[in-house]
């Protein structure tokens, strides 16, 4: 079970690395392993996530602390993952820093959200109506992780979701790795498109 989950998370990490979404050791990923008790594999902190090693992930519990003896440190942002698994039926959480998601988070930061509409890719979020609207909340980038995690948790309600952290990155989750990756890619598509459109309009 654990090994299968490890390989599944390693594959997601490989795919996101191929997109160059882990600049400067940024980003963290997790995949749920068990429900009762809650355990999940999370990326070890401060590693170059483009590299593949036997120390890429560690198992943590519902408090985000290692569930097994290890010298590895869980991601500094594990607490955000903890809130998602504790509040929803999500099975996978992905966090990446990209230039485009940072620009969008800054441009719309004061509004507290970015709103997308009239985009075919919104269907990736399960919104099939012609005039569907997709909103991504934007929260301040509190340096104090418990404060950041509390602010973040206010926007965690369903097993799929996305939150932008201002001038930091995006955290996306889904009921499984397929859903989380689909949401992440669709969010990035929207951010990339929107940045280009804003530039053209100037
Ligand atoms: C150099 S990226 C800054 C980090 O503090 C953080 O935002 C991040 O995404 C990666 O932290 P990590 O502890 O490796 O999961
Ligand atoms: Zn980050």
């Amino acid at each position: 079970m654990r090994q299968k989950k490890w390989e599944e998370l390693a594959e997601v990490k490989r795919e996101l690395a191929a997109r160059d979404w882990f600049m400067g050791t940024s980003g963290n990923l997790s995949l749920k392993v068990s429900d009762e008790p809650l355990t999940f594999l999370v990326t070890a902190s401060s590693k170059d996530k483009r590299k593949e090693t036997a120390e890429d992930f560690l198992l943590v519990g519902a408090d985000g602390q290692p569930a097994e003896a290890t010298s590895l440190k869980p991601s500094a942002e594990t607490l955000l993952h903890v809130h998602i698994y504790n509040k929803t039926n999500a099975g996978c959480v992905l966090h990446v820093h990209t230039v485009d998601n940072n620009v969008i988070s800054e441009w719309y930061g004061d509004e507290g959200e970015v709103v997308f509409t009239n985009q075919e890719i919104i269907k990736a979020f399960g919104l099939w109506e012609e005039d569907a609207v997709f909103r991504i909340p934007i929260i301040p980038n509190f340096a104090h992780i418990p404060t950041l995690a509390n602010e973040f948790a206010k926007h965690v309600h369903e097993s799929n979701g996305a939150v932008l952290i201002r001038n930091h990155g995006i955290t996306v989750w889904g009921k499984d790795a397929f859903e989380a990756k689909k949401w992440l890619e669709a969010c990035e598509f929207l951010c990339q498109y929107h940045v280009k459109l804003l530039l053209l309009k100037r």
Side-chain angles (χ1 to χ4, degrees), residues 26-28 77 95-97 165 168-169:
S26 65
N28 39 73
E77 288 155 4
H95 166 73
V96 299
H97 302 193
I165 309 170
H168 175 159

Side-chain angles (χ1 to χ4, degrees), residues 44-65:
S45 186
S46 307
K47 303 253 182 199
D48 179 350
K49 280 102 191 176
R50 284 168 294 204
K51 300 273 190 293
E52 293 189 34
T53 77
E55 303 199 317
D56 285 348
F57 313 117
L58 66 154
L59 192 74
V60 298
D63 55 358
Q65 295 303 313

Side-chain angles (χ1 to χ4, degrees), residues 43-167:
T43 41
S45 186
S46 307
K47 303 253 182 199
D48 179 350
K49 280 102 191 176
R50 284 168 294 204
K51 300 273 190 293
E52 293 189 34
T53 77
E55 303 199 317
D56 285 348
F57 313 117
L58 66 154
L59 192 74
V60 298
D63 55 358
Q65 295 303 313
E68 305 169 335
T70 177
S71 57
L72 298 173
K73 243 182 81 189
S75 164
E77 288 155 4
T78 301
L79 207 47
L80 278 70
H81 300 236
V82 160
H83 279 301
I84 294 166
Y85 292 123
N86 281 325
K87 290 188 75 169
T88 75
N89 280 325
C92 181
V93 180
L94 307 174
H95 166 73
V96 299
H97 302 193
T98 67
V99 172
D100 292 296
N101 70 37
N102 272 249
V103 170
I104 290 295
S105 75
E106 175 59 16
W107 193 256
Y108 293 101
D110 288 346
E111 291 166 40
E113 66 174 6
V114 53
V115 182
F116 298 105
T117 190
N118 292 317
Q119 296 272 166
E120 176 68 12
I121 205 153
I122 283 179
K123 290 178 182 167
F125 308 114
L127 302 170
W128 297 90
E129 308 79 37
E130 208 169 278
D131 51 359
V133 171
F134 181 67
R135 298 167 187 274
I136 308 180
I138 305 169
I139 62 169
N141 186 27
F142 297 109
H144 182 244
I145 298 296
T147 305
L148 178 68
N150 280 340
E151 191 60 32
F152 178 84
K154 293 178 188 166
H155 303 283
V156 177
H157 308 294
E158 292 172 38
S159 55
N160 283 289
V163 173
L164 277 162
I165 309 170
R166 190 166 181 170
N167 277 327

